[in-house]
Structures are given as C-alpha cells and as structure tokens.
Amino acid sequence: MQSGPAVSLVRQRDVDAYSQNRGRIPAQALPGVLGRIVSAVSVLGCAVTDEAVVALTYDDGPDPVHTPAILDVLDAAEVKATFFVLLPAARQHPKLIAEIVARGHDLGLHGADHTRLSAKSARAAVNAVGAARDELAVLARTPITLYRPAFGALTWRQVIGIRRLGLDIVLWSAWAQDWQPAPVESMIELAETGAHPGSIILLHDGAQGQALTDLPAGFPKDRLSSELIARLADIGYSFATVTELARLTQGRMRGSESARSARRLAAQAAQPAPGSAPAT
C-alpha cells in the first residue's frame, strides 16, 4: 500500500448531521461483494483525510453573469472547482459549458430542472437523470460522471438506480448558505467554520433554486468566491475538484456507510424541505 495520508470518501447523510468520524466505515474495510453492495447505495459527502484539501462546488449554473466572473476568480487563484449545472441553463449557454471544461474544471449534472426528485417514482427519476446526463455529455463533449440532486433529496431506490447509470452522487459537508440574504463576510465565516480536511463546500453560480430569489440583484458571487479562497488558503487549505478527491482514495470503493443509513437518508430526503433547506 502506498504511503501518505489515509483517505476514503464517505457517504454523508446531510450537512446538518455532519460530525467528524461518526458512523463511518472506511472504504478499505469493505472489500468484495459487501463493498459493491454498499457502494450501490452510497453517496459522496466528503473525504476523510489528514491532508488540508477542500473541494469547491457550484450549483444551478451556468449563469451568463456570475459563471464567467467566478471562472476568472478561479483562474486568478489557480484553483480548480466542480460545477453542477442544470440542463436548461446548459442549453441556453453552451459556450459557458465549453468554457468550464476548457479551463480544467469538473462538470457534473444538477438535474433536468430543479424539482425535488424524491417526490417522483424511482423509474421516472432515474430516466430523467439518465436522459439529462446524456444530453449534457453531448453539449459538453465529455463524459458526465458526477450528479448532485436538487436539494440533495433522493429516495434509496433512486440512489440505486442513479448509481447504476454510472454516476457518483455528490452531496456536501460545508456551505456558505449563499441563497439567503446575508453579508458576504457572514457567508465566508460560515463556510470557513464548516470547512475541514476533505470537505466538499457548497456554493452557487446560478439562481435557479427557488430560495435563491431572496438574494438581492447584483449579489457579488465572484467576491464571495475570491475572499473565501483567500481565507481558506491563509489557514493552510489547498483546493481540488471532486474527481481529484476521489483519486485520493485507495481501492474501488469511493463511498461508504451502511445500507441502513442509506435508507435513513432516503426517508429524510423524501420529507418536505424545512424553511432553511438548501436551495442546491
């Protein structure tokens, strides 16, 4: 086994339930058939690692104003990120999709629209995700292997079906709550407080989620990204895409937690969202 920090991607039930090293089974401890079974109902919430590295992720784009500005911020900071895009926005702005890919960022699917899939049947949800994935891959001219469900909500049958499509389901373990009106500094402090080695940080470059309508027009998403990157870099963090975090893992498993916990996630996600639910 290669030397270096021990890393394993784990399934995270929900960002609100995040607690370091609680209820996790290392991927390396689940070989063979058991590992494959758990992988089939796993989603990715963060990486368990001693290395000070985080993944910035952006939802709801591409947006013709915010996405180019954020891409410029990322270029200036020499940071690669992961963009989870909505298919209608991708259709409207195919040049931005090409730009995301050309600049070396991860591109993932956020959905055919921003509806809560957990309210749909498993077959309808999986078919919708598969069709959207295929269309986005054609638009982007690159395979799509990452998917983040709107609101982070899926039933366990949907999880199994979407994993069978060859998609890794990506949630998050820290956020800036940048869908609610608040000073940029407050958002930065929230994200910095939630950050940890291996964290996946939820941000937004678009405004398709319904709760994002509370943000004032002209909210400086690029400034939020710029200052957050600087703050995290100042305390020793480096940055990676979600795919790069996955490459840090050893073995075939890239998500782990018990199937029982997967069912708990599905039951929780199927409930109506509380008022503070993320507009991701």
Side-chain angles (χ1 to χ4, degrees):
M1 184 176 294
Q2 296 179 346
S3 61
V7 182
S8 60
L9 280 182
V10 300
R11 197 196 129 200
Q12 183 57 46
R13 185 163 54 118
D14 184 83
V15 66
D16 289 329
Y18 178 75
S19 177
Q20 186 87 10
N21 295 326
R22 183 179 70 183
R24 297 189 179 132
I25 304 171
Q28 296 92 328
L30 292 170
V33 174
L34 179 58
R36 290 193 292 274
I37 291 172
V38 175
S39 179
V41 291
S42 292
V43 300
L44 310 180
C46 64
V48 174
T49 177
D50 297 327
E51 185 176 345
V53 57
V54 300
L56 301 182
T57 65
Y58 293 89
D59 284 10
D60 294 347
D63 179 271
V65 174
H66 297 298
T67 304
I70 289 170
L71 286 172
D72 288 344
V73 165
L74 295 172
D75 277 356
E78 298 184 342
V79 167
K80 302 302 182 188
T82 303
F83 288 81
F84 291 96
V85 302
L86 290 166
L87 188 57
R91 289 170 180 154
Q92 292 174 1
H93 308 291
K95 290 183 179 179
L96 287 179
I97 295 297
E99 194 71 15
I100 290 169
V101 174
R103 297 200 195 189
H105 302 288
D106 270 3
L107 182 69
L109 174 68
H110 196 32
D113 51 37
H114 207 278
T115 59
R116 183 181 294 272
L117 285 190
S118 57
K120 298 178 179 289
S121 71
R123 176 177 294 180
V126 172
N127 287 344
V129 170
R133 184 270 312 271
D134 292 346
E135 184 174 346
L136 180 59
V138 172
L139 281 172
R141 298 183 180 182
T142 190
I144 303 299
T145 61
L146 303 175
Y147 169 66
R148 173 175 281 165
F151 306 101
L154 292 172
T155 69
W156 72 270
R157 291 182 184 276
Q158 291 169 352
V159 170
I160 293 172
I162 291 168
R163 293 287 289 117
R164 285 176 176 169
L165 294 175
L167 289 166
D168 283 324
I169 301 168
V170 183
L171 298 185
W172 58 90
S173 61
W175 55 16
Q177 289 191 357
D178 56 345
W179 60 88
Q180 297 177 346
V184 169
E185 178 62 28
S186 297
M187 295 180 181
I188 292 170
E189 289 179 358
L190 183 62
E192 179 185 358
T193 300
H196 59 90
S199 60
I200 296 175
I201 301 176
L202 170 64
L203 300 166
H204 295 81
D205 64 322
Q208 299 298 314
Q210 57 187 11
L212 285 173
T213 56
D214 292 335
L215 281 179
F219 179 81
K221 294 175 182 287
D222 55 337
R223 178 187 159 203
L224 171 61
S225 290
S226 178
E227 295 185 11
L228 177 59
I229 289 169
R231 184 78 62 86
L232 292 174
D234 283 346
I235 58 177
Y237 281 104
S238 61
F239 301 89
T241 66
V242 169
T243 298
E244 288 169 340
L245 276 185
R247 287 174 183 161
L248 293 174
T249 64
Q250 299 177 9
R252 290 176 297 174
M253 279 285 296
R254 295 197 295 171
S256 60
E257 202 178 62
S258 68
R260 180 181 300 174
S261 293
R263 290 193 293 271
R264 287 200 305 268
L265 168 67
Q268 181 176 343
Q271 299 300 315
S276 60
T280 178

